[in-house]
């Protein structure tokens, strides 16, 4: 059976303007491209968190290639564990002695300041010990969580548990879960929130483009917009192995929850396009821009730009030309602080003076 994980409660219902839009759906169906998900996926839907959007596709990269890719984080995390074991072995006794000295049991780490010259003995000892404290604190807070999450994380599963249960296959189901951007986009029911739905569709188009899917294997698709849901990927594989679903059911689709309609899907397979032609052109431009920023080591700047725009898109009243102009100014200032002329960089990387369908390049 598919593992049951308690889904998070869905977000609160939308505002009065959202309520008014409900009456406009006289057909009783969600707006395109939202549609009912495949019947075979219903057991899996029960395990998903309603506050997130999900992207599902089949990774058809060779199993041997996936094994090589996965060997890198395994080696890195084992090296980190080895580093910590060595650190504990070499410094554990010293920390115990310091603790004993603090509790009033003199030992070789005990220094009585009154008996020594401050600058020759006390100050160097303070500096040396402080450096060790700082190093071990940084290692414990920022580095140690990596192997813990890699081997032991339980809320959404972990990579080791995924590989232990799935192994390496030529065709693997990959499930991505939305990250920070979904807080604003999915705050209200996407079936009635036009701005939120457009924002979601833009993120999906970026993450599900044929170019992106061709150049990366599933394990490398974690970024600031999407994370991998290891537990759901194990569940999906169990469904395949038990003939509860077929690979075609997982080919390429997005899933999002609606309070009104329940779980809804966006079919991205066989060339289906969730965006209008103008939005499709905009997506290609944004990809070119992202790749150019990545090439100069400014990928973080790309995501900060996306966050600024998304924040304004979700405000009441729509993304008007006036608001576009205000955000364009903010974006140019943001890039200017990093020493980049936004308009010039955009034209060099994309080849146009602005984004398709927008009056301001910063949009």
């Amino acid at each position: 059976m598919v593992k049951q994980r308690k889904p998070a409660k869905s977000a609160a219902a939308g505002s009065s303007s959202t309520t008014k839009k409900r009456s406009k759906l006289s057909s009783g169906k969600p707006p395109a491209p939202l549609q009912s998900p495949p019947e075979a996926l219903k057991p899996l839907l029960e395990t998903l968190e309603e506050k997130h959007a999900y992207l599902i596709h089949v990774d058809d990269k060779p199993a041997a290639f996936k094994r090589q890719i996965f060997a890198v984080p395994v080696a890195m995390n084992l090296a980190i564990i080895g580093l910590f074991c060595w650190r504990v072995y070499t410094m554990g006794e010293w920390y115990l002695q310091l603790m004993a000295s603090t509790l009033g049991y003199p030992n070789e780490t005990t220094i009585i300041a009154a008996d020594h010259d401050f600058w020759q003995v006390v100050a160097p000892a303070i500096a040396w010990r402080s450096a060790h404290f700082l190093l071990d604190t940084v290692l414990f807070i920022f580095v140690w969580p990596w192997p813990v999450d890699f081997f032991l994380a339980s809320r959404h599963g972990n990579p080791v548990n995924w590989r232990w249960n799935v192994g390496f296959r030529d065709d693997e189901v990959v499930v991505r879960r939305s990250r920070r951007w979904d807080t604003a986009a999915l705050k209200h029911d996407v079936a009635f929130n036009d701005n939120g739905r457009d924002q979601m569709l833009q993120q999906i188009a970026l993450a599900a483009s044929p170019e992106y899917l061709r150049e990366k294997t599933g394990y490398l698709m974690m970024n600031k917009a999407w994370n991998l849901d290891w537990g759901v990927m194990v569940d999906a594989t169990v469904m395949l192995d038990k003939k509860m679903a077929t690979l075609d059911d997982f080919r390429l689709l997005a899933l999002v929850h609606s309070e009104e309609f329940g779980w809804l899907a966006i079919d991205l397979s066989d060339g289906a396009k969730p965006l209008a032609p103008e939005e499709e052109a905009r997506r290609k431009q944004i990809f070119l821009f992202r790749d150019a920023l990545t090439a100069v080591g400014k990928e973080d700047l790309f995501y900060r730009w996306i966050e600024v725009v998304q924040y304004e898109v979700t405000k009441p009243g729509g993304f008007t030309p006036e608001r576009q102009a205000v955000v364009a100014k903010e974006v140019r200032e943001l890039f200017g602080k990093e020493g980049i002329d936004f308009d010039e960089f955009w034209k060099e990387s994309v080849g146009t003076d602005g984004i398709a369908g927008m009056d301001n390049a910063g949009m």
Side-chain angles (χ1 to χ4, degrees):
M1 290 295 293
V2 176
K3 294 183 293 183
Q4 298 297 309
R5 288 185 296 279
K6 185 178 180 180
K9 292 183 179 180
S10 57
S15 61
S16 58
S17 60
T18 299
T19 304
K20 292 178 181 178
K21 291 180 181 180
R22 295 175 184 267
S23 61
K24 296 181 180 180
L25 298 180
S26 56
S27 63
K29 296 181 180 180
L34 300 173
Q35 57 185 276
S36 298
E39 189 72 22
L41 297 188
K42 287 192 174 180
L44 190 69
L45 300 181
E46 296 176 2
T47 73
L48 305 182
E49 295 185 5
E50 296 173 1
K51 64 181 180 180
H52 295 299
Y54 292 82
L55 263 177
I56 301 177
H57 79 280
V58 176
D59 182 3
D60 58 2
K61 302 291 189 301
F65 175 70
K66 294 168 184 170
R67 189 176 290 107
Q68 293 174 354
I69 293 295
F70 195 70
V72 175
V74 169
M76 182 186 73
N77 282 283
L78 288 177
I80 292 174
I81 292 175
L83 170 65
F84 271 84
C85 290
W86 172 82
R87 188 69 182 167
V88 171
Y89 175 77
T90 57
M91 300 300 294
E93 184 179 355
W94 180 73
Y95 275 104
L96 290 175
Q97 288 178 331
L98 281 178
M99 185 179 298
S101 179
T102 302
L103 295 175
Y105 299 95
N107 54 59
E108 62 186 55
T109 66
T110 303
I111 297 178
I112 300 176
D115 297 340
H116 300 85
D117 180 85
F118 179 80
W119 294 110
Q120 290 186 352
V121 178
V122 179
I126 292 174
W128 189 81
R129 294 179 183 187
S130 297
H132 280 286
F133 294 156
L134 178 61
L135 172 62
D136 290 329
T137 299
V138 170
L139 289 174
F140 183 76
I141 294 177
F142 297 105
V143 181
W144 180 243
W146 296 354
V148 172
D149 289 343
F150 189 77
F151 289 101
L152 300 174
S154 58
R155 182 180 177 187
H156 296 289
N158 59 74
V160 171
N161 180 66
W162 169 56
R163 281 304 180 196
W164 181 266
N165 287 278
V166 173
F168 296 91
R169 311 183 183 198
D170 289 330
D171 292 310
E172 297 176 349
V173 177
V174 175
V175 181
R176 281 174 282 171
R177 185 183 67 255
S178 59
R179 299 187 73 172
R180 291 181 299 177
W181 62 266
D182 60 16
T183 302
L186 307 181
K187 183 178 181 180
H188 305 302
D189 196 325
V190 293
F192 308 97
N193 180 7
D194 295 340
N195 286 337
R197 185 166 65 252
D198 290 344
Q199 183 181 348
M200 178 191 70
L201 291 175
Q202 185 180 43
Q203 288 286 357
I204 289 173
L206 285 169
S209 71
E211 302 97 322
Y212 186 71
L213 295 179
R214 279 196 301 267
E215 72 183 22
K216 288 184 180 291
T217 187
Y219 188 80
L220 300 179
M221 290 184 174
M222 293 177 285
N223 54 38
K224 290 187 176 181
W226 300 90
N227 210 344
L228 292 175
D229 198 310
W230 315 105
V232 176
M233 291 195 289
V234 172
D235 293 346
T237 306
V238 170
M239 292 178 64
L240 286 175
D241 292 344
K242 293 189 174 183
K243 311 300 182 184
M244 298 169 62
T246 67
L247 277 175
D248 288 336
D249 295 317
F250 299 101
R251 277 301 168 189
L252 185 56
L253 75 159
L255 296 170
V256 63
H257 190 268
S258 162
E259 281 195 351
E260 184 78 8
F261 300 100
W263 281 101
L264 296 170
I266 302 172
D267 185 4
L268 305 168
S269 61
D270 299 325
K273 294 182 180 180
L275 301 180
E278 187 177 82
E279 292 172 319
E280 181 70 13
R282 190 181 307 156
R283 177 191 64 81
K284 292 179 180 178
Q285 291 178 334
I286 292 174
F287 255 110
L288 289 172
F289 191 55
R290 183 207 64 179
D291 293 342
L293 285 172
T294 301
V296 296
K298 297 291 185 180
E299 186 176 11
D300 286 348
L301 190 57
F302 170 79
Y303 290 105
R304 287 159 62 192
W305 170 59
I306 291 292
E307 288 176 359
V308 169
V309 176
Q310 288 174 348
Y311 175 76
E312 293 295 333
V313 166
T314 56
K315 285 185 176 180
F319 200 37
T320 63
E322 293 77 14
R323 185 168 291 170
Q324 291 177 32
V326 172
V327 179
K329 181 180 178 181
E330 293 181 17
V331 168
R332 291 184 177 98
E333 291 176 353
L334 174 66
F335 276 70
K337 292 178 181 178
E338 297 290 333
I340 297 177
D341 183 300
F342 180 91
D343 299 286
E344 183 180 339
F345 192 87
W346 177 275
K347 190 168 185 177
E348 290 179 357
S349 58
V350 179
T352 65
D353 291 326
I355 297 180
M358 296 288 187
D359 296 329
N360 297 282
M363 302 306 94

